[in-house]
Amino acid sequence: MQSNKYLLLVFLLCFYAFAKAQQDAPAEAIIDADKVEGASSKEPYDPLRPAKAAFYGAVLPGLGQIYNKDYWKLPLVYGALGSTIYGVSFNGNQSERFRTAFKERLAGRIDEFTTINEDGTTTEIFSDDALLNGQEQFRKRRDLFILVSAGVYILQIIEANVDAHLSQYDVDDDLTFGPALYFDDLGQTMNYGLSFNYKF
């Protein structure tokens, strides 16, 4: 269930990146550019922009999104990284607790999972095998969260690079791609397809 939520989040982020490339320029910008004789409404293409965004994202997570002026993505980046780093820390501490308790028990001392009764006897909450299993399970979870943290770090670099690339993508009205319906007069049927149009 958790993996489905992460896949949905990744899909939505990718969908936003592709949809952003299709946004039209604001009407005010077009009007102002038309007022100035010989001015172009398009910014010049910068081939290094995607590389710069990826570099900034690698130096500091979220800096690539700031470079792309996508400030709303910062809480997503830091929320994902913060939660995975918290998972690493929490599971590492729990694994260490179980490891320390097992070592104390082997040395014959009272560990934190052993209670002393009123009559002086002790009650062990976890057996020796349970302490070993707990230590191993938390260690595996910690390692998994380390991998997820690295994945989130790499994903935000890729997202900054792709977003910087798509923000410069040519979406002129002369270039269109979309669904097309054609009626076949001979067979009296409707044909479906995709149409790629370029106006000279």
Side-chain angles (χ1 to χ4, degrees), residues 38-51:
S40 173
S41 61
K42 296 180 184 177
E43 293 181 10
Y45 180 77
D46 181 9
L48 294 179
R49 184 173 171 82

Side-chain angles (χ1 to χ4, degrees), residues 92-106 111-113 130-136 138-139 142:
N93 290 339
Q94 293 299 319
S95 176
E96 191 60 33
R97 281 181 64 200
F98 277 79
R99 182 173 183 269
T100 302
F102 184 72
K103 287 167 61 177
E104 291 289 325
R105 192 170 292 178
L106 286 181
D111 59 86
E112 68 171 294
F113 298 112
L131 289 176
L132 287 174
N133 288 337
Q135 174 188 343
E136 185 67 19
F138 282 116
R139 187 185 61 76
R142 181 203 63 194

Side-chain angles (χ1 to χ4, degrees), residues 1-11 83-84 145 148:
M1 187 65 183
Q2 286 293 97
S3 63
N4 291 341
K5 290 179 183 178
Y6 290 125
L7 287 175
L8 178 63
L9 178 64
V10 169
F11 173 75
S83 60
T84 55
F145 271 104
V148 172

Side-chain angles (χ1 to χ4, degrees), residues 44-63:
Y45 180 77
D46 181 9
L48 294 179
R49 184 173 171 82
K52 287 179 184 176
F55 174 74
Y56 291 147
V59 169
L60 180 67
L63 199 57

Side-chain angles (χ1 to χ4, degrees), residues 47-80:
L48 294 179
R49 184 173 171 82
K52 287 179 184 176
F55 174 74
Y56 291 147
V59 169
L60 180 67
L63 199 57
Q65 284 72 23
I66 292 173
Y67 177 73
N68 291 334
K69 296 183 176 64
D70 288 330
Y71 305 109
W72 69 271
K73 293 179 183 175
L74 287 177
L76 296 176
V77 170
Y78 284 109

